Every structure is written in structure tokens, then in C-alpha cells.
């Protein structure tokens, strides 16, 4: 608490760190990509976090900058997904699913660095009858690549409107929890994601960011062939107002 903390994030994790920092009186610094949506930048600042810009979304520059700030200022580095405490926190989503829908048979999870997916996987470890499926943008298919290779591999570049899922590789710790348990990854296009954002808003009254809507995009696109109760995890609502307006009125 005396030293303060630093993390790298495209937005949602950074806002969480800034919120906790404000709550406990801990100075927080969030290294964000230069193209980060203004709504996420302002969210970090609103919670009292200091924003430092570096590189593109989920680029090595962000990690390097965060580590440099940690050394220079003596800050404690909080990884965005490759840490057991972060994974355990995200795993509570899996516990909520079991509590509310004990008969669930399929869980669709958005995939960035794999923290949320691995947390839910750990939470459902005693339920092999439940299929856990990762969903990712087609231009950021790092889970698909990892499943094919049998290990995490780094993509040369990623892109698309789902800015929170553009990580170039699955984290090592998430992979250790995912490997052997998650056997399927689905990829969705920007067009499919946009339609999901629109459907969620028009039909369900939900304001979901593109990164959070990929699971519904897979379902609407017919890629999900599941028997029994299916859960689609929606992992964020921090969307640029201009982009959201374009997607819901398209």
C-alpha cells in the first residue's frame, strides 16, 4: 500500500485496479494503449488512477513501460491476467454460474489473455460434464492457435473492434489451467460482433462492449451447437459512445 501499484490494461482491468486503489488509498498507475477508448481512459481517471500511454493494444510496449515504471517508482506490478489472485477473482464468475444455474451444460467465455477463461475453468473443475468454450475475435485468435499448437504462441499482430480481447498470446498460467480442459475455441468477425452488440441492446436492453458481446456473436452466428442450458458471459460495458451508436443503428 505504501509503494503503490502499476498495471497494463486496455481498460477494464485498469479501472478495477484504480477503483480498488481509491478504496484502500493506494496510488495506482495504469499503462494503456495509445488507441484506448476515451470512455475507458476517463473511467480509470475517474477512479483516481494515473494513465500512461504506451504502444498499441496489448503490445509489448505496454508491458515494458509498466515494468519500467515499477522499477523507477518502486510500484508493485499487478498483471492483467497472468497471476493466481487475478485468476481466482475472475473465477468467481464460474461460482455464480453454478449457484444460479446448476444444470448448465455449456459456458461461452470471451478470451483475451485467458484470465477470465482460466478462472471459470478452475471454478468448474469438478464438473467435467460442463463444456467451456472460449470465444475470440477472428483477428486475435490466440486461443485457437494455442489449442492447435499445444502451447501458447504469440501472434504477430491483432486487430478489430473488440479492443479488450486483442492480446497476442494466452498467458502461461492461464494456459496451465485451460490446457486439457478447454478443447474448443470459436472465432467471430467484427461484423458478427457488431450485430451482437445491436441485438443485446435492442432485444435485451443491455449496453455491452464488443469485447463482452463475442459470446452472443458466436451464438447468433450459429457456431454454438450445445445441448442443455448454455451461458454466455458478457464481460464489459465500457464502449466508446460513437462506436456504440454506429453499431446499434447500423
Amino acid at each position: 500500500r505504501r509503494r503503490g501499484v502499476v498495471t497494463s490494461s486496455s481498460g477494464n482491468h485498469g479501472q478495477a485496479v484504480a477503483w480498488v486503489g481509491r478504496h484502500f488509498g493506494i496510488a495506482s498507475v495504469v499503462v494503456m494503449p495509445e488507441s484506448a477508448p476515451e470512455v475507458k481512459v476517463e473511467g480509470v481517471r475517474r477512479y483516481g488512477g494515473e494513465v500512461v500511454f504506451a504502444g498499441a493494444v496489448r503490445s509489448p510496449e505496454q508491458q515494458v513501460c509498466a515494468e519500467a515504471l515499477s522499477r523507477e517508482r518502486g510500484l508493485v506490478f499487478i498483471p492483467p491476467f497472468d497471476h493466481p489472485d487475478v485468476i481466482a477473482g475472475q473465477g468467481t464468475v464460474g461460482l455464480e454460474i453454478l449457484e444460479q444455474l446448476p444444470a448448465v451444460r455449456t459456458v461461452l467465455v470471451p478470451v483475451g489473455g485467458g484470465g477470465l477463461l482460466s478462472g471459470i475453468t478452475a471454478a468448474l473443475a469438478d464438473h467435467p460434464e460442463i463444456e467451456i468454450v472460449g470465444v475470440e475475435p477472428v483477428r486475435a485468435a490466440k486461443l485457437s492457435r494455442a489449442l492447435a499448437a499445444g502451447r501458447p504462441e504469440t501472434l504477430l499482430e491483432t486487430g478489430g473492434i473488440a479492443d479488450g480481447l486483442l492480446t497476442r498470446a494466452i498467458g502461461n498460467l492461464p494456459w496451465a489451467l485451460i490446457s486439457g480442459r478447454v478443447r474448443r475455441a470459436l472465432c467471430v468477425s467484427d461484423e458478427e460482433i457488431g450485430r451482437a452488440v445491436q441485438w443485446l441492446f435492442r432485444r435485451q436492453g443491455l449496453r455491452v462492449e464488443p469485447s463482452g458481446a463475442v459470446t452472443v456473436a458466436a451464438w447468433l452466428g450459429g457456431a454454438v451447437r450445445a445441448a442443455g442450458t448454455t451461458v454466455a458471459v458478457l464481460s464489459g460495458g465500457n464502449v466508446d459512445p460513437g462506436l456504440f451508436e454506429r453499431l446499434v443503428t447500423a
Side-chain angles (χ1 to χ4, degrees), residues 76-204:
V76 177
F77 178 62
I78 308 293
F81 51 81
D82 211 354
H83 191 282
D85 291 343
V86 175
I87 291 171
Q90 296 181 342
T92 60
V93 174
L95 298 181
E96 290 183 23
I97 291 171
L98 281 178
E99 180 181 315
Q100 297 178 29
L101 291 167
V104 63
R105 286 298 174 265
T106 304
V107 180
L108 308 174
V109 187
V111 183
L116 180 62
L117 179 64
S118 60
I120 291 176
T121 298
L124 303 182
D126 293 334
H127 298 269
E129 74 280 5
I130 302 174
E131 182 184 19
I132 305 167
V133 182
V135 186
E136 57 193 351
V138 69
R139 290 194 285 154
K142 61 277 171 187
L143 178 59
S144 299
R145 176 76 66 86
L147 290 174
R151 64 182 184 279
E153 291 192 345
T154 302
L155 304 177
L156 293 178
E157 61 180 4
T158 58
I161 63 174
D163 62 276
L165 306 181
L166 302 185
T167 310
R168 298 184 186 183
I170 296 294
N172 291 323
L173 183 53
W175 175 252
L177 295 166
I178 293 167
S179 182
R181 179 65 172 89
V182 177
R183 298 180 174 84
R184 187 157 61 121
L186 301 175
C187 294
V188 289
S189 67
D190 280 358
E191 291 73 19
E192 290 173 312
I193 296 170
R195 286 195 291 271
V197 171
Q198 183 184 88
W199 185 88
L200 284 163
F201 181 70
R202 291 185 177 180
R203 298 286 296 273
Q204 305 298 323

Side-chain angles (χ1 to χ4, degrees), residues 12-33:
N12 291 342
H13 172 75
Q15 289 181 82
V17 169
W19 186 92
V20 172
R22 183 181 68 175
H23 182 77
F24 287 105
I26 303 170
S28 62
V29 180
V30 181
V31 180
M32 304 184 73

Side-chain angles (χ1 to χ4, degrees), residues 16 19 27 35 40 48 57 62 80 143-144 150 212 224 249:
W19 186 92
S35 60
K40 294 185 177 181
V57 175
Q62 282 181 261
L143 178 59
S144 299
V224 180
T249 59

